[in-house]
Amino acid sequence: MNVRVVALAVLAVLAAVPIWIGDRYMAHIAVMVCLMAILALSLNMMLRVGQLSLAQVVFMATGAYGSSLMSIGWGLPPALSVPIAGIGSGFLALVLGPLLLRIRGVYFVLLTFSLGQIVNLILQDMTGVTGGNSGLFGIPRFELFGMRLARPENFYPFALALLALSLAGAAALYRSRAGAVMQSIEQNEDLSRSLGVNVLAWRVGVFGLSGLLAGISGACYAHFIGFISPAAFTFAISVNILVINVIGGVASPLGPLIGAVLLVPLPEVLRDAQQYQLLVYGLLLIGFLAFFPSGITGFLFRKSAGTGLVGRSMKRSRQK
Amino acid sequence: MSDFIAQIVVNGVLSGMVYVLMALGFTLIFGIMRVVNFAHGELYMVGASVVLVLYGMNGVNYFLAVALAAVLTAGLGALIEIGLFRRFVKTELNGMIMSLGVAISLQAIALIVLGPAWQAVERPISGAMQLGGVVVPFDRLFVGGCALVIIVAFYLFLKRTRMGLAMQTVAQDAEIAALMGVGVSHVSALAFAIAAGLAAVAGGLMAPIYSVAPYMGEMPMLKAFVVVVLGGLGSIPGAVAGGLIIGLVESGFASTFNNTAALIASFAIVLVIVLVRPSGLFGKVT
């Protein structure tokens, strides 16, 4: 199956769903699908350079808090504060990258996990700035071309466009020479190094890009919901976007999209059986890891996108 | 003032002993299988839940209930290892993601069976004694004593029995262990079972003190994680020393500042250790 055809089909369905249902609540879920897909894509980039980062939620949080504080405190319009917060988060990733990315494999996971915990605790503790556990209220809604995007059905086309842009960018990146270098780093780091690739610099660059995406996703989330608190930026988010990647498949930028489309609405589908929602989630993760480690896209495009990026890449990380 | 410090030390050592119980299993699994077991807190929760059901709801003798919790959870651990983790022996990140899947699923099952509320378990031991100006509750003392006995038994098992030695060999180098005739897969299953049993004992012992809920495993898992990174992933002496250190540091911080500050401090320690000396205090430098 052709990757582009599937991508367009999924995006078209995504675009049609809220119009078709015409329901405000559906539109809300659809927006969340888009924002989570962007966040999952930011993790996807890190997985493609062979590092499982549990710190994407940190950049999501800096984007959200940064943009909210700028628009509440300084009165910046969200159309300005979102890109600034996104770029700021990307820049933060660039600064932290050289320190964090020297560490590889399991230890990088431990490191990013701890970083996520610390940032969440600090958000809870700095009540003067972040409002602590009661969070930030009254975050201004988006305005674009003089139109207020307060209602989900108005915000949705914007979120979808942002997602399409991010996906197209990622797809172009993965297909380019830079993408080939990324793949070589993931598949054989030592060999890439021997060919003169500055592995650390490449990883830092990708980390910065992923920080930018995560920051923008977080900032949009803040202005969309209008309220943020540390409870929205926990380890659970890191797990969610990881599950989205595993189920969608890491080998294609479509993986995060398909994973998000399937998983984000799950709590709504299972609303009448809420206690089973978590179980479905866990069993899906176990089932995919055990039987389809390359995810749905790996299954769909066995020829075009290669198989088992997760399965293969994870083997490489065992380097003494 | 000296009473204040003595109280901090007593509290720190008593909670540190529980951390050691958790950390031993966590570090054992890492040493043998190179899996960071994010489901370790859920094994603790399973142990506590078994005690809740047997002792709290059905009146089984408390000590018997804790022992049964350990045995049942150990069996569950062996099944999980054989069914789910074994296939990822050489792919450590996949193993780690699998442990997340196991954690979510176990939590979900507890949610379905027991419901989301915190449920109190009647205290089998109550009262406290006064030593000078220091208060020592009997139930905490009992937990600390049990933990000490188990830790010593575990140490003797590792050092004095053939199976324990085999386990250490596998942790050092699985391939060479296999060449020496060690059944690596049996060792892995047993190690996972022991780790699960230790976590379940910790959960069962703490159940009357903290109550039981599906999410109760989160904090102990984080503590075990911090302890093990501090002591060195895979290092048994590191887990013991790390547990006591974290227990003491935390008790000091919690008495002088607050719990959030104590947690931030412990994760800051992890951050520094991983960046500067990933092998921890006692781990081998690789």
Side-chain angles (χ1 to χ4, degrees), chain A residues 260-283:
Chain A
V261 169
L262 290 179
L263 284 180
V264 176
L266 201 61
E268 312 306 329
V269 177
L270 293 173
R271 201 142 48 125
D272 296 331
Q274 228 163 18
Q275 66 272 39
Y276 292 98
Q277 179 187 313
L278 200 62
L279 187 62
V280 170
Y281 219 72
L283 292 182

PDB file of all heavy atoms in Angstrom, chain A residues 260-283:
ATOM      1  N   ALA A 260      -2.555   7.652  17.362  1.00  0.00           N
ATOM      2  CA  ALA A 260      -3.357   8.661  18.075  1.00  0.00           C
ATOM      3  C   ALA A 260      -4.821   8.546  17.698  1.00  0.00           C
ATOM      4  O   ALA A 260      -5.708   8.643  18.548  1.00  0.00           O
ATOM      5  CB  ALA A 260      -2.832  10.064  17.764  1.00  0.00           C
ATOM      6  N   VAL A 261      -5.090   8.315  16.395  1.00  0.00           N
ATOM      7  CA  VAL A 261      -6.486   8.190  15.958  1.00  0.00           C
ATOM      8  C   VAL A 261      -7.164   7.021  16.671  1.00  0.00           C
ATOM      9  O   VAL A 261      -8.329   7.092  17.065  1.00  0.00           O
ATOM     10  CB  VAL A 261      -6.550   7.995  14.426  1.00  0.00           C
ATOM     11  CG1 VAL A 261      -7.951   7.595  13.999  1.00  0.00           C
ATOM     12  CG2 VAL A 261      -6.128   9.275  13.717  1.00  0.00           C
ATOM     13  N   LEU A 262      -6.406   5.935  16.880  1.00  0.00           N
ATOM     14  CA  LEU A 262      -7.004   4.761  17.517  1.00  0.00           C
ATOM     15  C   LEU A 262      -7.109   4.910  19.032  1.00  0.00           C
ATOM     16  O   LEU A 262      -8.063   4.450  19.640  1.00  0.00           O
ATOM     17  CB  LEU A 262      -6.181   3.512  17.195  1.00  0.00           C
ATOM     18  CG  LEU A 262      -6.245   3.036  15.751  1.00  0.00           C
ATOM     19  CD1 LEU A 262      -5.364   1.820  15.563  1.00  0.00           C
ATOM     20  CD2 LEU A 262      -7.683   2.711  15.381  1.00  0.00           C
ATOM     21  N   LEU A 263      -6.093   5.539  19.661  1.00  0.00           N
ATOM     22  CA  LEU A 263      -6.016   5.474  21.119  1.00  0.00           C
ATOM     23  C   LEU A 263      -6.635   6.664  21.843  1.00  0.00           C
ATOM     24  O   LEU A 263      -7.193   6.506  22.917  1.00  0.00           O
ATOM     25  CB  LEU A 263      -4.567   5.325  21.559  1.00  0.00           C
ATOM     26  CG  LEU A 263      -4.029   3.918  21.354  1.00  0.00           C
ATOM     27  CD1 LEU A 263      -2.593   3.835  21.811  1.00  0.00           C
ATOM     28  CD2 LEU A 263      -4.874   2.917  22.106  1.00  0.00           C
ATOM     29  N   VAL A 264      -6.498   7.866  21.271  1.00  0.00           N
ATOM     30  CA  VAL A 264      -6.977   9.043  22.009  1.00  0.00           C
ATOM     31  C   VAL A 264      -8.495   8.995  22.244  1.00  0.00           C
ATOM     32  O   VAL A 264      -8.955   9.331  23.335  1.00  0.00           O
ATOM     33  CB  VAL A 264      -6.526  10.344  21.311  1.00  0.00           C
ATOM     34  CG1 VAL A 264      -7.095  11.555  22.019  1.00  0.00           C
ATOM     35  CG2 VAL A 264      -5.012  10.426  21.279  1.00  0.00           C
ATOM     36  N   PRO A 265      -9.295   8.552  21.248  1.00  0.00           N
ATOM     37  CA  PRO A 265     -10.748   8.499  21.519  1.00  0.00           C
ATOM     38  C   PRO A 265     -11.157   7.319  22.389  1.00  0.00           C
ATOM     39  O   PRO A 265     -12.315   7.238  22.787  1.00  0.00           O
ATOM     40  CB  PRO A 265     -11.368   8.332  20.118  1.00  0.00           C
ATOM     41  CG  PRO A 265     -10.275   8.595  19.155  1.00  0.00           C
ATOM     42  CD  PRO A 265      -9.011   8.229  19.841  1.00  0.00           C
ATOM     43  N   LEU A 266     -10.211   6.418  22.702  1.00  0.00           N
ATOM     44  CA  LEU A 266     -10.567   5.194  23.428  1.00  0.00           C
ATOM     45  C   LEU A 266     -11.338   5.452  24.723  1.00  0.00           C
ATOM     46  O   LEU A 266     -12.350   4.797  24.982  1.00  0.00           O
ATOM     47  CB  LEU A 266      -9.290   4.397  23.711  1.00  0.00           C
ATOM     48  CG  LEU A 266      -9.473   2.919  24.006  1.00  0.00           C
ATOM     49  CD1 LEU A 266     -10.099   2.218  22.812  1.00  0.00           C
ATOM     50  CD2 LEU A 266      -8.140   2.277  24.327  1.00  0.00           C
ATOM     51  N   PRO A 267     -10.904   6.427  25.545  1.00  0.00           N
ATOM     52  CA  PRO A 267     -11.654   6.678  26.782  1.00  0.00           C
ATOM     53  C   PRO A 267     -13.114   7.035  26.523  1.00  0.00           C
ATOM     54  O   PRO A 267     -13.980   6.721  27.330  1.00  0.00           O
ATOM     55  CB  PRO A 267     -10.918   7.871  27.408  1.00  0.00           C
ATOM     56  CG  PRO A 267      -9.558   7.817  26.841  1.00  0.00           C
ATOM     57  CD  PRO A 267      -9.692   7.235  25.468  1.00  0.00           C
ATOM     58  N   GLU A 268     -13.379   7.662  25.362  1.00  0.00           N
ATOM     59  CA  GLU A 268     -14.760   8.039  25.054  1.00  0.00           C
ATOM     60  C   GLU A 268     -15.549   6.834  24.586  1.00  0.00           C
ATOM     61  O   GLU A 268     -16.697   6.630  24.965  1.00  0.00           O
ATOM     62  CB  GLU A 268     -14.779   9.119  23.970  1.00  0.00           C
ATOM     63  CG  GLU A 268     -13.821  10.259  24.214  1.00  0.00           C
ATOM     64  CD  GLU A 268     -13.995  10.903  25.567  1.00  0.00           C
ATOM     65  OE1 GLU A 268     -15.129  10.912  26.076  1.00  0.00           O
ATOM     66  OE2 GLU A 268     -12.985  11.369  26.135  1.00  0.00           O
ATOM     67  N   VAL A 269     -14.898   6.015  23.754  1.00  0.00           N
ATOM     68  CA  VAL A 269     -15.581   4.812  23.265  1.00  0.00           C
ATOM     69  C   VAL A 269     -15.966   3.914  24.438  1.00  0.00           C
ATOM     70  O   VAL A 269     -17.032   3.322  24.464  1.00  0.00           O
ATOM     71  CB  VAL A 269     -14.652   4.045  22.288  1.00  0.00           C
ATOM     72  CG1 VAL A 269     -15.315   2.762  21.827  1.00  0.00           C
ATOM     73  CG2 VAL A 269     -14.302   4.923  21.101  1.00  0.00           C
ATOM     74  N   LEU A 270     -15.053   3.847  25.435  1.00  0.00           N
ATOM     75  CA  LEU A 270     -15.276   2.935  26.552  1.00  0.00           C
ATOM     76  C   LEU A 270     -15.861   3.660  27.761  1.00  0.00           C
ATOM     77  O   LEU A 270     -15.664   3.262  28.886  1.00  0.00           O
ATOM     78  CB  LEU A 270     -13.967   2.270  26.953  1.00  0.00           C
ATOM     79  CG  LEU A 270     -13.377   1.310  25.930  1.00  0.00           C
ATOM     80  CD1 LEU A 270     -12.015   0.851  26.361  1.00  0.00           C
ATOM     81  CD2 LEU A 270     -14.295   0.117  25.743  1.00  0.00           C
ATOM     82  N   ARG A 271     -16.595   4.740  27.482  1.00  0.00           N
ATOM     83  CA  ARG A 271     -17.058   5.556  28.594  1.00  0.00           C
ATOM     84  C   ARG A 271     -17.992   4.789  29.524  1.00  0.00           C
ATOM     85  O   ARG A 271     -18.016   5.002  30.724  1.00  0.00           O
ATOM     86  CB  ARG A 271     -17.747   6.810  28.080  1.00  0.00           C
ATOM     87  CG  ARG A 271     -17.809   7.903  29.100  1.00  0.00           C
ATOM     88  CD  ARG A 271     -17.610   9.242  28.467  1.00  0.00           C
ATOM     89  NE  ARG A 271     -18.457   9.380  27.298  1.00  0.00           N
ATOM     90  CZ  ARG A 271     -19.298  10.385  27.147  1.00  0.00           C
ATOM     91  NH1 ARG A 271     -19.436  11.280  28.081  1.00  0.00           N
ATOM     92  NH2 ARG A 271     -20.001  10.494  26.051  1.00  0.00           N
ATOM     93  N   ASP A 272     -18.777   3.862  28.930  1.00  0.00           N
ATOM     94  CA  ASP A 272     -19.711   3.118  29.774  1.00  0.00           C
ATOM     95  C   ASP A 272     -19.017   2.022  30.559  1.00  0.00           C
ATOM     96  O   ASP A 272     -19.576   1.442  31.465  1.00  0.00           O
ATOM     97  CB  ASP A 272     -20.817   2.510  28.899  1.00  0.00           C
ATOM     98  CG  ASP A 272     -21.640   3.609  28.254  1.00  0.00           C
ATOM     99  OD1 ASP A 272     -21.725   4.690  28.866  1.00  0.00           O
ATOM    100  OD2 ASP A 272     -22.156   3.395  27.147  1.00  0.00           O
ATOM    101  N   ALA A 273     -17.788   1.717  30.163  1.00  0.00           N
ATOM    102  CA  ALA A 273     -17.054   0.652  30.857  1.00  0.00           C
ATOM    103  C   ALA A 273     -15.697   1.193  31.251  1.00  0.00           C
ATOM    104  O   ALA A 273     -14.655   0.704  30.842  1.00  0.00           O
ATOM    105  CB  ALA A 273     -16.918  -0.560  29.952  1.00  0.00           C
ATOM    106  N   GLN A 274     -15.740   2.265  32.052  1.00  0.00           N
ATOM    107  CA  GLN A 274     -14.523   3.008  32.311  1.00  0.00           C
ATOM    108  C   GLN A 274     -13.422   2.158  32.930  1.00  0.00           C
ATOM    109  O   GLN A 274     -12.252   2.344  32.636  1.00  0.00           O
ATOM    110  CB  GLN A 274     -14.830   4.185  33.226  1.00  0.00           C
ATOM    111  CG  GLN A 274     -14.227   5.461  32.714  1.00  0.00           C
ATOM    112  CD  GLN A 274     -14.866   6.662  33.375  1.00  0.00           C
ATOM    113  OE1 GLN A 274     -15.503   6.556  34.413  1.00  0.00           O
ATOM    114  NE2 GLN A 274     -14.699   7.813  32.760  1.00  0.00           N
ATOM    115  N   GLN A 275     -13.825   1.226  33.792  1.00  0.00           N
ATOM    116  CA  GLN A 275     -12.784   0.457  34.471  1.00  0.00           C
ATOM    117  C   GLN A 275     -12.053  -0.462  33.502  1.00  0.00           C
ATOM    118  O   GLN A 275     -10.953  -0.910  33.792  1.00  0.00           O
ATOM    119  CB  GLN A 275     -13.364  -0.320  35.654  1.00  0.00           C
ATOM    120  CG  GLN A 275     -14.331  -1.415  35.309  1.00  0.00           C
ATOM    121  CD  GLN A 275     -15.755  -0.886  35.217  1.00  0.00           C
ATOM    122  OE1 GLN A 275     -15.996   0.210  34.726  1.00  0.00           O
ATOM    123  NE2 GLN A 275     -16.714  -1.671  35.666  1.00  0.00           N
ATOM    124  N   TYR A 276     -12.681  -0.729  32.314  1.00  0.00           N
ATOM    125  CA  TYR A 276     -12.014  -1.617  31.361  1.00  0.00           C
ATOM    126  C   TYR A 276     -11.087  -0.869  30.410  1.00  0.00           C
ATOM    127  O   TYR A 276     -10.300  -1.464  29.693  1.00  0.00           O
ATOM    128  CB  TYR A 276     -13.049  -2.402  30.565  1.00  0.00           C
ATOM    129  CG  TYR A 276     -13.777  -3.390  31.430  1.00  0.00           C
ATOM    130  CD1 TYR A 276     -15.023  -3.104  31.958  1.00  0.00           C
ATOM    131  CD2 TYR A 276     -13.179  -4.604  31.760  1.00  0.00           C
ATOM    132  CE1 TYR A 276     -15.673  -3.989  32.793  1.00  0.00           C
ATOM    133  CE2 TYR A 276     -13.822  -5.498  32.595  1.00  0.00           C
ATOM    134  CZ  TYR A 276     -15.069  -5.187  33.107  1.00  0.00           C
ATOM    135  OH  TYR A 276     -15.689  -6.064  33.943  1.00  0.00           O
ATOM    136  N   GLN A 277     -11.209   0.462  30.450  1.00  0.00           N
ATOM    137  CA  GLN A 277     -10.438   1.294  29.538  1.00  0.00           C
ATOM    138  C   GLN A 277      -8.929   1.089  29.721  1.00  0.00           C
ATOM    139  O   GLN A 277      -8.198   0.863  28.765  1.00  0.00           O
ATOM    140  CB  GLN A 277     -10.839   2.719  29.888  1.00  0.00           C
ATOM    141  CG  GLN A 277     -10.219   3.812  29.168  1.00  0.00           C
ATOM    142  CD  GLN A 277     -10.682   5.094  29.853  1.00  0.00           C
ATOM    143  OE1 GLN A 277     -11.870   5.255  30.125  1.00  0.00           O
ATOM    144  NE2 GLN A 277      -9.764   5.976  30.136  1.00  0.00           N
ATOM    145  N   LEU A 278      -8.515   1.103  30.985  1.00  0.00           N
ATOM    146  CA  LEU A 278      -7.105   0.945  31.298  1.00  0.00           C
ATOM    147  C   LEU A 278      -6.628  -0.448  30.888  1.00  0.00           C
ATOM    148  O   LEU A 278      -5.515  -0.625  30.382  1.00  0.00           O
ATOM    149  CB  LEU A 278      -6.922   1.148  32.799  1.00  0.00           C
ATOM    150  CG  LEU A 278      -5.547   1.501  33.322  1.00  0.00           C
ATOM    151  CD1 LEU A 278      -5.090   2.822  32.764  1.00  0.00           C
ATOM    152  CD2 LEU A 278      -5.586   1.577  34.846  1.00  0.00           C
ATOM    153  N   LEU A 279      -7.507  -1.437  31.091  1.00  0.00           N
ATOM    154  CA  LEU A 279      -7.146  -2.818  30.775  1.00  0.00           C
ATOM    155  C   LEU A 279      -6.914  -2.973  29.274  1.00  0.00           C
ATOM    156  O   LEU A 279      -5.931  -3.576  28.836  1.00  0.00           O
ATOM    157  CB  LEU A 279      -8.248  -3.766  31.248  1.00  0.00           C
ATOM    158  CG  LEU A 279      -7.926  -5.252  31.138  1.00  0.00           C
ATOM    159  CD1 LEU A 279      -6.735  -5.597  32.016  1.00  0.00           C
ATOM    160  CD2 LEU A 279      -9.123  -6.104  31.521  1.00  0.00           C
ATOM    161  N   VAL A 280      -7.823  -2.394  28.468  1.00  0.00           N
ATOM    162  CA  VAL A 280      -7.676  -2.461  27.012  1.00  0.00           C
ATOM    163  C   VAL A 280      -6.339  -1.852  26.610  1.00  0.00           C
ATOM    164  O   VAL A 280      -5.599  -2.407  25.794  1.00  0.00           O
ATOM    165  CB  VAL A 280      -8.833  -1.715  26.319  1.00  0.00           C
ATOM    166  CG1 VAL A 280      -8.562  -1.572  24.823  1.00  0.00           C
ATOM    167  CG2 VAL A 280     -10.146  -2.440  26.554  1.00  0.00           C
ATOM    168  N   TYR A 281      -6.033  -0.727  27.220  1.00  0.00           N
ATOM    169  CA  TYR A 281      -4.800  -0.020  26.955  1.00  0.00           C
ATOM    170  C   TYR A 281      -3.580  -0.904  27.215  1.00  0.00           C
ATOM    171  O   TYR A 281      -2.702  -1.054  26.377  1.00  0.00           O
ATOM    172  CB  TYR A 281      -4.764   1.175  27.904  1.00  0.00           C
ATOM    173  CG  TYR A 281      -4.218   2.414  27.321  1.00  0.00           C
ATOM    174  CD1 TYR A 281      -4.944   3.134  26.395  1.00  0.00           C
ATOM    175  CD2 TYR A 281      -2.972   2.877  27.699  1.00  0.00           C
ATOM    176  CE1 TYR A 281      -4.433   4.284  25.863  1.00  0.00           C
ATOM    177  CE2 TYR A 281      -2.458   4.028  27.170  1.00  0.00           C
ATOM    178  CZ  TYR A 281      -3.196   4.724  26.260  1.00  0.00           C
ATOM    179  OH  TYR A 281      -2.681   5.857  25.731  1.00  0.00           O
ATOM    180  N   GLY A 282      -3.550  -1.497  28.420  1.00  0.00           N
ATOM    181  CA  GLY A 282      -2.416  -2.342  28.797  1.00  0.00           C
ATOM    182  C   GLY A 282      -2.307  -3.568  27.919  1.00  0.00           C
ATOM    183  O   GLY A 282      -1.219  -3.924  27.459  1.00  0.00           O
ATOM    184  N   LEU A 283      -3.444  -4.203  27.653  1.00  0.00           N
ATOM    185  CA  LEU A 283      -3.405  -5.436  26.863  1.00  0.00           C
ATOM    186  C   LEU A 283      -3.009  -5.147  25.417  1.00  0.00           C
ATOM    187  O   LEU A 283      -2.280  -5.936  24.801  1.00  0.00           O
ATOM    188  CB  LEU A 283      -4.764  -6.146  26.915  1.00  0.00           C
ATOM    189  CG  LEU A 283      -5.128  -6.709  28.296  1.00  0.00           C
ATOM    190  CD1 LEU A 283      -6.464  -7.442  28.245  1.00  0.00           C
ATOM    191  CD2 LEU A 283      -4.036  -7.648  28.809  1.00  0.00           C
TER     192      LEU A 283
END
